[in-house]
Amino acid sequence: MILSSALTTAVVRGRRKARRFLAVLALVGSAILAGCGGGGTTEAAPAEPAREGVPTGAPTIVSLNPCTDAILAEVTGPGQLLAISSYSHDPESSSMPMAEARRFRAIAGTVEEVATIHPRVVVASAFLDPASEAAFRRLGYRLIKMPIAPDLASAREQVRELARLTGHPEKGEKLVARIDAAVARNAPPSAWRQVPALVWESGGLVAGDRTLIVDMMRHTGFTNVAGARGLSQADYLPLENVLADPPRVVFAVGDPLAEEDRMLHHPALSALKSTRRFQLSRSILWCGGPTIPRALDELAAAHRAYVLSQAFSQAPRAGTSSPRP
């Protein structure tokens, strides 16, 4: 199928927007990195003023990363988390509820801003720019660098690592227990087959196998079509290819009202009778921690809806014989 010039223009714009979004994700690390270990730290932290309500010895923290913002909001004690990234105050990029995010000061993450706050620890992405990293080290802050967890096991360890950092490992275990409960309640029955599915973002970008969202798909009864086709994280999959070999499920990730997302909502997709399309929240796509239970619930609900639709479509109508097995 040949796209119209208007649709082609929309796809190009969408790809540009998606690339810009991936640049934002550099703030939270690379989705394709294995493991989630922290980066190097300095030998000593600078003296900091006494903080009211913060126990002596408990580190005060600034987070420059929307994924760790959400985790630290749950595993710190009162007064410990001094600031979070400005992305967490933006509904389009936050991985936590706005009411929760706005309890904390938000900063753009410049060295100058952090220096006025005087934390003991700075938590940043694995892709923190070298100049800022060097400046934080010169100032004597303990620097922890975290990438996005590429799977559920790494996400659990990331929660535990940050909880140990704050001095509240018990808070981390409570969050891990919520993640484990979500995995258990959303596991599909063993008799159900895995459903081929595609995570398709603005501009036609796909999710690769070594990503948290794909690992959560596996735990809720889906297989990743993009990986089976040899595509990696952020590879481009055009509409024509999807139409030529459609998956059973398409998870569309984007704004359905935005012009650059027209490809995700093209009428040709709606015409595919054997493909179900579900809108997936962008806020659950990359971050671990407290977003995982919500993501698993969304994915499992989609799986149940797909199975139900298949059962309904195969059910014999009144006056007809039952379909042959």
Side-chain angles (χ1 to χ4, degrees), residues 26-27 109-111 124-136 143 145:
L27 293 168
T110 65
V111 174
S125 94
F127 276 39
L128 179 68
D129 68 275
S132 295
E133 178 173 349
F136 286 135
L143 181 63
K145 297 193 296 181

Side-chain angles (χ1 to χ4, degrees), residues 118-193:
H118 303 295
R120 186 169 294 275
V121 178
V122 175
V123 179
S125 94
F127 276 39
L128 179 68
D129 68 275
S132 295
E133 178 173 349
F136 286 135
R137 294 189 187 284
R138 284 196 302 270
L139 289 169
Y141 298 122
R142 183 182 180 192
L143 181 63
I144 304 293
K145 297 193 296 181
M146 288 260 177
I148 294 175
D151 52 42
L152 285 167
S154 297
R156 293 183 183 93
E157 288 308 307
Q158 190 176 70
V159 168
R160 290 184 169 116
E161 181 176 349
L162 290 173
R164 288 193 298 268
L165 169 71
T166 69
H168 296 284
E170 75 287 350
K171 291 178 180 286
E173 292 307 316
K174 287 183 179 180
L175 179 50
V176 169
R178 278 172 37 212
I179 292 171
D180 290 342
V183 171
R185 72 172 174 265
N186 289 305
S190 57
W192 286 7
R193 294 181 179 178

Side-chain angles (χ1 to χ4, degrees), residues 21-210:
F21 183 74
L22 289 174
V24 170
L25 287 178
L27 293 168
V28 295
S30 169
I32 58 175
L33 291 178
C36 64
T41 63
T42 55
E43 293 298 325
E48 60 175 327
R51 308 281 182 177
E52 184 177 354
V54 180
T56 302
T60 51
I61 301 169
V62 164
S63 173
L64 308 180
N65 171 338
C67 289
T68 57
D69 290 349
I71 298 173
L72 287 166
E74 293 210 13
V75 301
T76 49
Q80 266 191 290
L81 185 55
L82 304 181
I84 59 177
S85 73
S86 59
Y87 291 99
S88 287
H89 277 206
D90 181 353
E92 293 297 317
S93 56
S94 179
S95 62
M96 57 197 300
M98 285 295 98
E100 175 74 6
R102 286 172 179 155
R103 292 175 46 228
F104 303 97
R105 173 180 177 180
I107 62 173
T110 65
V111 174
E112 293 80 4
E113 282 180 298
V114 174
T116 65
I117 299 173
H118 303 295
R120 186 169 294 275
V121 178
V122 175
V123 179
S125 94
F127 276 39
L128 179 68
D129 68 275
S132 295
E133 178 173 349
F136 286 135
R137 294 189 187 284
R138 284 196 302 270
L139 289 169
Y141 298 122
R142 183 182 180 192
L143 181 63
I144 304 293
K145 297 193 296 181
M146 288 260 177
I148 294 175
D151 52 42
L152 285 167
S154 297
R156 293 183 183 93
E157 288 308 307
Q158 190 176 70
V159 168
R160 290 184 169 116
E161 181 176 349
L162 290 173
R164 288 193 298 268
L165 169 71
T166 69
H168 296 284
E170 75 287 350
K171 291 178 180 286
E173 292 307 316
K174 287 183 179 180
L175 179 50
V176 169
R178 278 172 37 212
I179 292 171
D180 290 342
V183 171
R185 72 172 174 265
N186 289 305
S190 57
W192 286 7
R193 294 181 179 178
Q194 296 284 101
V195 178
L198 174 70
V199 177
W200 209 28
E201 301 176 66
S202 299
L205 302 185
V206 299
D209 275 342
R210 294 178 62 81

